[in-house]
Amino acid sequence: MGNKNIGLNLDGLDFSRECLEIYTQELQRGQQRLESGQEEFTGWYRLPFDYDRTELQRILEAAEEIRKKCTVFVVIGIGGSYLGTRAAVEWLEPAAKAGFPKICFAGQNISSRYHRSLLKELRDKDICLCVISKSGTTAEPSIAFGILKEFLIEKYGREEAGNRIYVITDREKGVLREETNREGYKSFVVPDDIGGRYSVLSAVGLLPIAAAGIDVKRMLEGAAAEAGRVSSGENGSELPKDPGMCYAAARNELYKRGKIIEVFEAYEPSLASFIEWLKQLFGESEGKCGKGIFPAGLQFSTDLHSMGQFLQEGNPVVFETILNVEDPGEDLIIPEGAGAALAGKGMSEVNRAALQGVTAAHRKAGISVIRIDLPKADPFVFGSAVWFFERACALSAYLLGVTPFDQPGVEQYKAEMRSVLEKE
Amino acid sequence: MGNKNIGLNLDGLDFSRECLEIYTQELQRGQQRLESGQEEFTGWYRLPFDYDRTELQRILEAAEEIRKKCTVFVVIGIGGSYLGTRAAVEWLEPAAKAGFPKICFAGQNISSRYHRSLLKELRDKDICLCVISKSGTTAEPSIAFGILKEFLIEKYGREEAGNRIYVITDREKGVLREETNREGYKSFVVPDDIGGRYSVLSAVGLLPIAAAGIDVKRMLEGAAAEAGRVSSGENGSELPKDPGMCYAAARNELYKRGKIIEVFEAYEPSLASFIEWLKQLFGESEGKCGKGIFPAGLQFSTDLHSMGQFLQEGNPVVFETILNVEDPGEDLIIPEGAGAALAGKGMSEVNRAALQGVTAAHRKAGISVIRIDLPKADPFVFGSAVWFFERACALSAYLLGVTPFDQPGVEQYKAEMRSVLEKE
């Protein structure tokens, strides 16, 4: 199991372990706050152990039912009801079983062009819908659900349409819960004690990810293994042994030194959406009270040919966090035609050399580079990584002196938007 | 023609026109440097007027030939040989003609998973290749070309494979030019006086974009119209009348005030790759000598549910540049089922209200918001926008006191990477 753990590499950082240890007390206090379970919205912390087994069984059964009923499963949601599922589906595509429906997304924007194109694609497909919204009032998913429900009714008639709608919403209240009860849609629960950006290991992510043919039990096992490393004291729950704490301390130390942008970098394009998930996790948790590390994402080696110059020689306000997938899967051998220097090598070997070369070049230029090792693209590692980052993010936010689990700033634009719409 | 121009909106910025006018002299000097044509790598500036008509005719003929020969056109390139084409194809999809090949990309990364999946997709398709590399030695496209050439030869035999390869490279030198001459591939020229990130309106972009069924003549006309506004003195080539100069001055002024991140935002997902193109343009042009505004991209309203909190209340180091597509095309009417507040409205109307609401909320919070108006998704506007941003970026870099057209920092990692590969 050793090689299945998430690893942290801080080589070359020009601060000593001692320098990080000044964070120990605050980190331990944060850890206690998470463990106590008394803080609001910390349900995700014990979720790998405490999840509702009956709900999970219902999710697996629903996923099987969805597989039989459709070739495209349209997932309607935004923010935390979108990014985690998308991250899992794209990263874990090779781990998905054959014969499961394709996952499409809707209601993650208000673009008519996007949704017209989606409707066109769905015209001759067998589809089911999954609508995910705690309140049922968020504009984007409400609009998309309205449009797709109408489409479904036209296609299948009202009764069969109802059989093809799966809802994940509040247990008791809200307009979506009311409609669900009235229409008899099959439904699952967005837990009260888990916020959107922390919800991918709840029904919010589990149903659509299971529907894609990904082993969600293994995902939960991965999260439980990572949580177990912390709770068992395997890491000593202290610096410098605990990778999550070290990562939280390192990024706070870098922030204090003026590194206010964290660039998440992956050498596999399949991690692009996982990085989007990280951006919400960190950006929404830390970006408040005039503070916060700005999270950005880059795909390498692609973006070395666009942002590489800036990283190497530009404004030195950036630190880098590499997401390193250690085993990228089956390789492709480079043929003769590609030139003598590369012929006969594996593409993944060259990709790894790029990672090592960039790391060396950036460290030589004085850029702080953190590397997080993710063993491979499988559900277990995904679950571990999710829980690792959720905890590290919460601990980071505590160090920064902000509440990790609220997002008071997202209401202002909605109010302004309503007022624009009412004026019209 | 009036409504076809790129517009700039600086409402709510808390600096006066006078404050921008201190940049006038330096901007005019920059403008003269661009106009003089004596500076290295400024060929893009006069390209909308000076492009090689014979080459364009050959490009259009090749595009027609490609259309007849294949259903998938694989474009191999990275950086400036990738981003501009991708930006055009995704943004202008509705303007493309039916019956043209699908564009796929290769060699923009070194992921074996990505390329294995691409090969699988290509197995039962009729394909042609386009390989774009000035030197022919860049690792990513060399590797992908090696692999895809082998694939092509297996599929069609050596001779027919050669007929399906289109090369865009140096006029005279380099390994790719040598191979092209030896094998008799059809080829086009990467101009000597235009750098990668400024090359989309040369053969580098024109061939693959034309192959996708997009009217590249209209693109060049759009660029020429924008360039004409400047050269005719229609804008007076001075602040505050000249939108490109105003934009350059505004972003430099914001940078001086500590706004070191420029977030490019679009409310249409189809602009995601155009934003990636902007990131290379600005990041690689300005990120040097320890300076530069860090360019980041967000998709709205999607990312309001991830980064909206940070923008509204987080670290106030950000300014925003909205890419506002004024006419998003055919609308979708929101049905009853979406709730009374939205039913009957158009989706685009709500999207516009989001843009207005966010702008108001952010301006109230003291965030500087620049809005660039792009009339619609058509080749003319694309060409105008490309040239507008190219010039504005060059002028910005001059104001910042850096050379806009070099990228000395991208060699370090390549050297380190080679040394890793040689050690193995």
Side-chain angles (χ1 to χ4, degrees):
Chain A
M1 293 288 283
N3 66 346
K4 291 208 158 168
N5 288 338
I6 308 299
L8 176 73
N9 179 304
L10 299 177
D11 289 356
L13 287 197
D14 68 336
F15 40 80
S16 59
R17 292 284 172 173
E18 288 72 24
C19 154
L20 293 184
E21 278 169 8
I22 61 164
Y23 297 96
T24 301
Q25 268 203 321
E26 197 50 46
L27 283 167
Q28 285 174 344
R29 216 163 67 91
Q31 177 63 25
Q32 283 159 13
R33 291 170 75 172
L34 297 178
E35 277 174 4
S36 75
Q38 292 177 350
E39 206 114 341
E40 262 199 315
F41 295 112
T42 53
W44 58 271
Y45 188 88
R46 291 203 49 80
L47 190 66
F49 305 115
D50 289 354
Y51 66 89
D52 183 337
R53 267 79 183 161
T54 317
E55 178 98 334
L56 179 64
Q57 196 48 43
R58 288 184 60 236
I59 286 172
L60 296 175
E61 284 162 18
E64 177 58 18
E65 189 181 285
I66 291 160
R67 185 180 73 79
K68 287 180 186 153
K69 267 196 267 191
C70 68
T71 53
V72 178
F73 190 46
V74 185
V75 179
I76 302 170
I78 195 164
S81 303
Y82 158 63
L83 292 167
T85 295
R86 183 157 195 161
V89 169
E90 291 182 8
W91 188 8
L92 302 181
E93 194 197 342
K97 281 168 265 173
F100 278 76
K102 180 182 168 190
I103 307 294
C104 282
F105 297 93
Q108 84 279 32
N109 62 50
I110 331 176
S111 163
S112 62
R113 176 169 158 192
Y114 176 88
H115 285 87
R116 276 190 293 119
S117 160
L118 176 67
L119 289 176
K120 202 170 150 194
E121 190 188 332
L122 297 178
R123 208 179 295 153
D124 56 354
K125 304 287 194 315
D126 257 326
I127 63 170
C128 289
L129 299 187
C130 180
V131 55
I132 311 173
S133 176
K134 176 87 173 158
S135 66
T137 56
T138 306
E140 292 87 342
S142 298
I143 293 170
F145 184 45
I147 289 170
L148 282 156
K149 190 166 50 182
E150 192 177 54
F151 178 83
L152 215 60
I153 291 171
E154 270 174 33
K155 195 175 169 99
Y156 298 107
R158 182 166 286 275
E159 197 185 325
E160 177 58 12
N163 292 333
R164 289 172 175 267
I165 293 173
Y166 297 79
V167 175
I168 308 173
T169 189
D170 190 85
R171 188 183 301 272
E172 291 176 349
K173 42 184 204 306
V175 290
L176 187 53
R177 170 52 62 195
E178 285 162 26
E179 176 177 339
T180 300
N181 293 348
R182 194 172 62 237
E183 303 287 336
Y185 303 143
K186 195 161 282 184
S187 73
F188 303 87
V189 172
V190 182
D192 283 324
D193 57 350
I194 300 180
R197 61 189 172 275
Y198 279 83
S199 68
V200 59
L201 299 178
S202 77
V204 168
L206 295 181
L207 176 66
I209 295 169
I214 292 164
D215 185 345
V216 294
K217 277 191 172 172
R218 283 295 286 163
M219 259 172 54
L220 287 166
E221 284 167 17
E226 186 59 29
R229 284 169 78 195
V230 172
S231 67
S232 71
E234 185 188 322
N235 299 319
S237 270
E238 65 183 21
L239 285 166
K241 280 191 200 155
D242 182 313
M245 283 189 173
C246 276
Y247 174 53
R251 55 198 301 290
N252 270 272
E253 177 64 19
L254 290 166
Y255 179 67
K256 283 189 196 160
R257 296 181 183 195
K259 307 302 177 190
I260 56 174
I261 301 170
E262 178 171 21
V263 181
F264 292 103
E265 302 164 350
Y267 284 73
E268 289 293 337
S270 53
L271 264 70
S273 288
F274 188 73
I275 289 177
E276 291 303 310
W277 177 81
L278 285 173
K279 281 165 64 180
Q280 181 188 15
L281 182 67
F282 283 99
E284 212 168 51
S285 299
E286 293 191 323
K288 44 197 76 158
C289 310
K291 296 188 274 192
I293 299 168
F294 184 89
L298 291 178
Q299 289 183 45
F300 283 174
S301 66
T302 307
D303 293 336
L304 289 168
H305 298 255
S306 65
M307 289 295 294
Q309 167 65 35
F310 193 107
L311 295 174
Q312 189 80 41
E313 297 188 339
N315 202 335
V317 290
V318 174
F319 71 95
E320 304 178 44
T321 298
I322 302 172
L323 305 178
N324 170 38
V325 181
E326 296 181 293
D327 174 5
E330 201 188 329
D331 209 349
L332 258 178
I333 302 304
I334 300 169
E336 289 300 323
L342 297 168
K345 293 191 189 286
M347 208 165 183
S348 298
E349 188 185 342
V350 179
N351 209 12
R352 176 157 307 281
L355 185 153
Q356 291 169 351
V358 173
T359 304
H362 288 188
R363 283 179 177 163
K364 278 185 188 171
I367 306 160
S368 300
V369 180
I370 295 172
R371 197 185 75 221
I372 291 174
D373 294 324
L374 306 164
K376 58 178 176 172
D378 84 358
F380 185 94
V381 172
F382 180 84
S384 301
V386 160
W387 198 91
F388 171 86
F389 280 111
E390 286 177 346
R391 171 177 174 256
C393 176
L395 292 175
S396 279
Y398 285 141
L399 287 183
L400 191 65
V402 297
T403 307
F405 309 117
D406 65 358
Q407 52 284 330
V410 302
E411 295 308 315
Q412 281 95 319
Y413 91 85
K414 293 181 187 172
E416 296 286 347
M417 179 179 164
R418 272 191 298 274
S419 110
V420 172
L421 283 169
E422 278 158 17
K423 260 182 236 150
E424 273 166 5
Chain B
M1 294 286 283
N3 65 346
K4 291 210 161 171
N5 288 340
I6 309 297
L8 176 73
N9 179 304
L10 299 177
D11 289 355
L13 287 196
D14 67 336
F15 41 80
S16 58
R17 291 286 172 174
E18 288 72 23
C19 154
L20 292 184
E21 277 169 8
I22 60 165
Y23 296 96
T24 300
Q25 268 202 322
E26 197 49 47
L27 284 167
Q28 285 174 344
R29 216 162 66 90
Q31 177 62 25
Q32 283 159 13
R33 291 170 74 173
L34 296 179
E35 277 175 4
S36 76
Q38 292 176 351
E39 205 112 343
E40 262 200 315
F41 296 112
T42 54
W44 58 270
Y45 189 87
R46 290 202 49 80
L47 190 65
F49 305 114
D50 289 353
Y51 66 88
D52 182 337
R53 265 81 182 160
T54 318
E55 177 97 335
L56 179 64
Q57 196 48 44
R58 288 185 60 239
I59 286 172
L60 295 175
E61 284 161 16
E64 178 59 17
E65 188 181 286
I66 291 161
R67 185 180 73 79
K68 287 181 185 152
K69 266 197 266 191
C70 68
T71 53
V72 178
F73 190 47
V74 184
V75 178
I76 303 170
I78 196 165
S81 303
Y82 158 63
L83 291 167
T85 295
R86 183 156 194 161
V89 169
E90 291 183 7
W91 188 8
L92 302 181
E93 194 198 342
K97 281 168 263 172
F100 278 75
K102 180 184 167 187
I103 308 294
C104 282
F105 297 95
Q108 84 278 32
N109 61 51
I110 331 174
S111 163
S112 62
R113 176 170 157 191
Y114 176 88
H115 286 86
R116 276 190 292 119
S117 160
L118 176 67
L119 289 176
K120 203 170 147 192
E121 189 187 333
L122 297 178
R123 208 179 295 153
D124 56 355
K125 304 287 195 313
D126 258 327
I127 65 171
C128 289
L129 298 187
C130 180
V131 56
I132 312 173
S133 176
K134 175 91 173 156
S135 67
T137 57
T138 307
E140 292 87 343
S142 299
I143 294 171
F145 183 44
I147 289 170
L148 282 156
K149 190 166 49 180
E150 192 177 54
F151 178 84
L152 215 59
I153 291 171
E154 271 174 33
K155 197 176 170 96
Y156 298 107
R158 181 167 287 276
E159 196 184 327
E160 175 58 11
N163 293 333
R164 288 172 176 267
I165 293 173
Y166 296 81
V167 175
I168 308 173
T169 189
D170 190 86
R171 188 183 302 272
E172 290 176 349
K173 43 182 204 306
V175 289
L176 187 54
R177 169 53 60 197
E178 286 161 27
E179 177 177 338
T180 299
N181 293 349
R182 193 172 62 237
E183 303 287 337
Y185 303 144
K186 194 159 281 185
S187 73
F188 302 87
V189 172
V190 181
D192 282 326
D193 57 349
I194 299 179
R197 60 187 174 277
Y198 279 83
S199 68
V200 58
L201 300 178
S202 77
V204 168
L206 295 181
L207 176 65
I209 296 170
I214 292 164
D215 185 344
V216 295
K217 277 192 173 171
R218 281 295 286 162
M219 259 171 55
L220 287 165
E221 283 167 19
E226 186 59 31
R229 284 169 78 195
V230 171
S231 67
S232 71
E234 183 188 321
N235 300 319
S237 270
E238 64 184 21
L239 284 166
K241 280 193 202 152
D242 182 313
M245 283 189 172
C246 275
Y247 174 52
R251 55 198 301 288
N252 270 271
E253 176 66 17
L254 289 167
Y255 179 66
K256 282 190 197 160
R257 297 181 184 196
K259 306 302 177 190
I260 56 175
I261 302 171
E262 178 171 20
V263 181
F264 292 103
E265 302 164 349
Y267 284 73
E268 289 293 337
S270 52
L271 265 71
S273 288
F274 188 74
I275 289 178
E276 291 303 311
W277 177 81
L278 286 173
K279 281 165 65 180
Q280 181 188 15
L281 182 67
F282 283 99
E284 212 168 50
S285 298
E286 293 190 323
K288 44 196 77 157
C289 310
K291 295 188 275 192
I293 298 169
F294 184 90
L298 291 178
Q299 288 182 45
F300 282 175
S301 67
T302 307
D303 293 336
L304 289 168
H305 297 255
S306 64
M307 289 295 293
Q309 167 65 35
F310 193 108
L311 295 174
Q312 187 81 42
E313 297 189 339
N315 203 335
V317 290
V318 174
F319 71 94
E320 304 178 44
T321 298
I322 301 172
L323 305 178
N324 170 38
V325 181
E326 296 180 294
D327 173 6
E330 200 189 328
D331 209 349
L332 257 178
I333 302 303
I334 300 170
E336 289 300 323
L342 298 168
K345 294 189 188 288
M347 210 166 181
S348 298
E349 189 186 341
V350 179
N351 208 12
R352 175 156 308 281
L355 185 152
Q356 291 169 350
V358 172
T359 304
H362 288 187
R363 284 178 176 163
K364 280 186 188 170
I367 305 161
S368 300
V369 180
I370 295 171
R371 197 185 73 220
I372 292 174
D373 294 324
L374 306 165
K376 59 179 175 172
D378 84 358
F380 185 93
V381 173
F382 181 84
S384 302
V386 160
W387 198 90
F388 171 85
F389 279 111
E390 286 177 346
R391 170 175 176 260
C393 176
L395 293 175
S396 279
Y398 285 142
L399 287 183
L400 191 64
V402 297
T403 307
F405 309 117
D406 65 359
Q407 53 284 330
V410 301
E411 294 309 315
Q412 281 95 318
Y413 91 86
K414 293 181 187 171
E416 296 286 345
M417 179 178 163
R418 273 193 297 275
S419 110
V420 172
L421 283 169
E422 279 158 17
K423 260 183 235 154
E424 273 167 4

